[in-house]
Amino acid sequence: MKLKPNEKVALSDAIDRMNEGLDQFIELYNEAEEDKAIIDFDEEVLQLLEAGKEKFGEAALTKRINTIIKEVLSFVSTEEKEHEE
Protein backbone atom coordinates (compact mmCIF):
# COMPACT_ATOMS: atom_id res chain seq x y z
CA MET A 1 0.00 0.00 0.00
CA LYS A 2 1.42 3.34 -1.00
CA LEU A 3 0.81 6.39 1.15
CA LYS A 4 1.54 10.03 0.69
CA PRO A 5 3.48 11.62 3.57
CA ASN A 6 0.41 13.41 4.93
CA GLU A 7 -1.65 10.18 4.73
CA LYS A 8 1.08 8.29 6.59
CA VAL A 9 1.05 10.92 9.38
CA ALA A 10 -2.76 10.83 9.59
CA LEU A 11 -2.74 7.02 9.75
CA SER A 12 -0.04 7.03 12.40
CA ASP A 13 -2.00 9.55 14.48
CA ALA A 14 -5.16 7.43 14.17
CA ILE A 15 -3.26 4.33 15.30
CA ASP A 16 -1.86 6.23 18.29
CA ARG A 17 -5.37 7.36 19.31
CA MET A 18 -6.69 3.80 18.96
CA ASN A 19 -3.87 2.49 21.15
CA GLU A 20 -4.59 5.14 23.79
CA GLY A 21 -8.26 4.17 23.75
CA LEU A 22 -7.38 0.48 24.02
CA ASP A 23 -5.08 1.23 26.96
CA GLN A 24 -7.97 2.97 28.72
CA PHE A 25 -10.28 0.00 28.10
CA ILE A 26 -7.64 -2.37 29.48
CA GLU A 27 -7.16 -0.18 32.55
CA LEU A 28 -10.93 -0.06 33.21
CA TYR A 29 -11.16 -3.83 32.77
CA ASN A 30 -8.26 -4.47 35.15
CA GLU A 31 -9.74 -2.17 37.81
CA ALA A 32 -13.26 -3.60 37.51
CA GLU A 33 -14.72 -5.54 40.39
CA GLU A 34 -17.35 -8.24 40.25
CA ASP A 35 -20.81 -6.84 40.87
CA LYS A 36 -22.46 -9.19 43.31
CA ALA A 37 -25.65 -8.59 45.20
CA ILE A 38 -25.48 -8.13 48.96
CA ILE A 39 -28.73 -10.05 49.29
CA ASP A 40 -30.31 -12.33 46.70
CA PHE A 41 -34.00 -11.47 46.60
CA ASP A 42 -36.48 -14.02 45.31
CA GLU A 43 -38.65 -13.22 42.30
CA GLU A 44 -41.69 -12.21 44.37
CA VAL A 45 -39.66 -9.60 46.29
CA LEU A 46 -38.16 -8.25 43.07
CA GLN A 47 -41.64 -7.81 41.62
CA LEU A 48 -42.78 -6.01 44.77
CA LEU A 49 -39.74 -3.73 44.60
CA GLU A 50 -40.55 -2.84 40.99
CA ALA A 51 -44.17 -2.15 41.92
CA GLY A 52 -43.01 0.01 44.84
CA LYS A 53 -40.71 2.02 42.57
CA GLU A 54 -43.60 2.69 40.20
CA LYS A 55 -45.98 3.65 43.02
CA PHE A 56 -43.69 5.74 45.26
CA GLY A 57 -40.71 6.55 43.03
CA GLU A 58 -37.24 5.07 43.40
CA ALA A 59 -35.91 7.66 45.87
CA ALA A 60 -38.88 7.36 48.24
CA LEU A 61 -38.83 3.56 48.10
CA THR A 62 -35.09 3.50 48.74
CA LYS A 63 -35.54 5.74 51.78
CA ARG A 64 -38.31 3.54 53.17
CA ILE A 65 -36.38 0.32 52.61
CA ASN A 66 -33.25 1.75 54.22
CA THR A 67 -35.26 2.82 57.27
CA ILE A 68 -36.80 -0.65 57.59
CA ILE A 69 -33.50 -2.47 57.13
CA LYS A 70 -31.75 -0.25 59.70
CA GLU A 71 -34.48 -1.05 62.20
CA VAL A 72 -34.43 -4.78 61.46
CA LEU A 73 -30.63 -4.96 61.67
CA SER A 74 -30.27 -2.70 64.69
CA PHE A 75 -29.83 -5.85 66.79
CA VAL A 76 -26.43 -6.40 65.16
CA SER A 77 -24.84 -3.37 66.81
CA THR A 78 -26.66 -4.17 70.08
CA GLU A 79 -25.28 -7.73 70.10
CA GLU A 80 -21.76 -6.50 69.29
CA LYS A 81 -21.87 -4.13 72.29
CA GLU A 82 -23.12 -6.94 74.56
CA HIS A 83 -20.26 -9.22 73.45
CA GLU A 84 -17.70 -6.48 74.13
CA GLU A 85 -18.83 -6.07 77.73
Side-chain angles (χ1 to χ4, degrees):
M1 180 169 149
K2 294 184 180 184
L3 296 173
K4 295 179 184 174
N6 62 336
E7 293 172 330
K8 189 172 182 176
V9 169
L11 185 57
S12 177
D13 289 344
I15 291 170
D16 289 344
R17 287 192 303 274
M18 286 177 52
N19 282 332
E20 288 171 7
L22 182 58
D23 288 343
Q24 289 178 350
F25 276 112
I26 292 170
E27 184 177 336
L28 287 172
Y29 175 80
N30 289 336
E31 292 176 358
E33 298 176 11
E34 182 181 348
D35 183 20
K36 53 185 176 178
I38 294 172
I39 297 174
D40 292 321
F41 294 110
D42 60 34
E43 192 58 37
E44 182 181 3
V45 173
L46 292 173
Q47 289 173 357
L48 290 168
L49 287 170
E50 286 300 322
K53 284 193 319 190
E54 289 179 23
K55 184 172 183 177
F56 301 109
E58 189 169 344
L61 181 65
T62 297
K63 184 177 178 181
R64 287 178 181 209
I65 290 173
N66 277 306
T67 300
I68 292 167
I69 290 175
K70 285 176 192 175
E71 181 64 32
V72 170
L73 295 177
S74 64
F75 70 89
V76 173
S77 63
T78 304
E79 286 182 2
E80 287 175 356
K81 289 178 183 175
E82 288 174 2
H83 288 298
E84 290 174 359
E85 294 175 352

